[in-house]
Amino acid sequence: MNAALKNTAGNARLRAALVASGMTIEGLAHEVGMDPRTVERWLNEPGRTPYARHAHQVAQLLHVDPYEIWPTLGNRRKTSAQPRDEMLAWYPTRGTVPAALWATLLRGAVDRIDLALSCGLFLADAVPDLVELLTERAAAGTRVRLALPDPTQAATQNEATRLLLVEDLYTALQHVPGVRMVRHGGIANDVVRADEQLLVMPRVDGCPPAAAPVLHLKRLDHAPLTGAYLLGLDHVFTTAVPLVNTRRLAAA
């Protein structure tokens, strides 16, 4: 292996992506039209960030997100990240989100997972092994928080029963170490958070949740857009009440 790749200093994420791709420093430099010594500086000098066009070329070649490799890329000529830098993608409806994206984000979370949902049924459908996945992440040390709507505040008995049945889908998580389950009294947006990435489903008046758009956001430095939704998540979990028993169905 090239000595520059053995170096443990510098940009570990770029180094790992380069090793995973099987490409050499010289090969990458050739593909992007750079001197190999420049690529070595990207690898070995902490904080070294290439120009945006080179960063995106490299990311495309290595099949990675450029902002994962260079988190400050969006700030190269700015003092702080702008909302457009935080937007990785957007989808016109929940059904147009790539099916694998929900599970991919959750499975890749290391530090935390937050789920603030107005129902929770759609996510259980999108990720069939959701309970097992969250249990595995909690066992690995990921902090997991799940907020579902409070059935006691439902407008009708039928709605309360439906929400209790949805809770029942997640009941196995209730006593899993590292998982916190709560009931909220209503939320403005559905949010799925996996570390620094969020899938946000903002409410639209007169539009059912499934037909509303979905924003895929990535937190960059003190990102104003993502930061607002993270504050919203903190509000949800601060004001929510603990979920005591997920199997108290209305018929009981």
Side-chain angles (χ1 to χ4, degrees), residues 8 23 27 33 38 49 53-54 63-64 87 98 172 181 203 206 223 243:
T8 58
M23 189 176 291
T38 299
T49 301
R53 63 187 180 89
H54 293 141
H63 304 289
V64 294
M87 183 81 72
M181 294 182 65
R203 297 290 181 85
L243 194 154

Side-chain angles (χ1 to χ4, degrees), residues 2 14 18 23-43 54 57-58 61-62:
N2 190 302
L14 176 58
L18 194 57
M23 189 176 291
T24 65
I25 289 174
E26 292 74 16
L28 180 62
H30 174 74
E31 290 292 334
V32 296
M34 304 294 295
D35 189 299
R37 289 173 295 183
T38 299
V39 176
E40 287 186 4
R41 286 194 286 271
W42 294 345
L43 280 165
H54 293 141
Q57 277 183 285
V58 169
L61 288 166
L62 301 182

Side-chain angles (χ1 to χ4, degrees), residues 6-245:
K6 293 181 180 179
N7 190 339
T8 58
N11 193 326
R13 292 180 179 180
L14 176 58
R15 184 173 296 106
L18 194 57
V19 170
S21 72
M23 189 176 291
T24 65
I25 289 174
E26 292 74 16
L28 180 62
H30 174 74
E31 290 292 334
V32 296
M34 304 294 295
D35 189 299
R37 289 173 295 183
T38 299
V39 176
E40 287 186 4
R41 286 194 286 271
W42 294 345
L43 280 165
N44 298 325
E45 296 182 16
R48 172 76 69 161
T49 301
Y51 288 107
R53 63 187 180 89
H54 293 141
H56 284 277
Q57 277 183 285
V58 169
Q60 186 174 13
L61 288 166
L62 301 182
H63 304 289
V64 294
D65 180 350
Y67 294 98
E68 289 281 353
I69 303 299
W70 295 286
T72 60
L73 179 62
N75 298 333
R76 186 179 177 89
R77 292 187 175 88
K78 301 188 287 288
T79 57
S80 61
Q82 300 299 307
R84 63 178 174 271
D85 299 316
E86 304 169 65
M87 183 81 72
L88 299 183
W90 74 275
Y91 304 95
T93 65
R94 202 166 64 197
T96 61
V97 177
L101 182 59
W102 306 97
T104 298
L105 290 182
L106 294 176
R107 191 166 284 114
V110 174
D111 180 51
R112 65 185 65 195
I113 290 173
D114 288 333
L115 308 176
L117 308 172
S118 58
C119 176
L121 185 59
F122 84 89
L123 191 58
D125 288 339
V127 187
D129 63 339
L130 179 61
V131 171
E132 291 80 3
L133 189 159
L134 295 177
T135 300
E136 290 171 1
R137 296 318 308 146
T142 305
R143 186 187 68 173
V144 178
R145 301 190 298 181
L146 171 61
L148 295 171
D150 189 344
T152 67
Q153 298 189 33
T156 66
Q157 184 60 51
N158 285 341
E159 177 66 8
T161 301
R162 186 179 73 87
L163 294 178
L164 283 166
L165 289 169
V166 171
E167 277 188 358
D168 200 50
L169 296 174
Y170 297 89
T171 191
L173 293 169
Q174 190 172 355
H175 302 294
V176 173
V179 176
R180 179 187 173 206
M181 294 182 65
V182 298
R183 287 172 169 174
H184 62 72
I187 55 176
N189 310 281
D190 285 47
V191 179
V192 172
R193 178 190 187 181
D195 288 339
E196 302 305 298
Q197 296 194 53
L198 284 72
L199 289 171
V200 178
M201 292 142 272
R203 297 290 181 85
V204 179
D205 290 337
C207 178
V214 179
L215 311 179
H216 184 184
L217 306 178
K218 170 70 180 294
R219 185 181 187 183
L220 299 173
D221 194 23
H222 300 292
L225 181 58
T226 308
Y229 287 115
L230 292 177
L231 284 175
L233 275 176
D234 287 340
H235 173 76
V236 169
F237 285 101
T238 299
T239 57
V241 298
L243 194 154
V244 177
N245 186 354

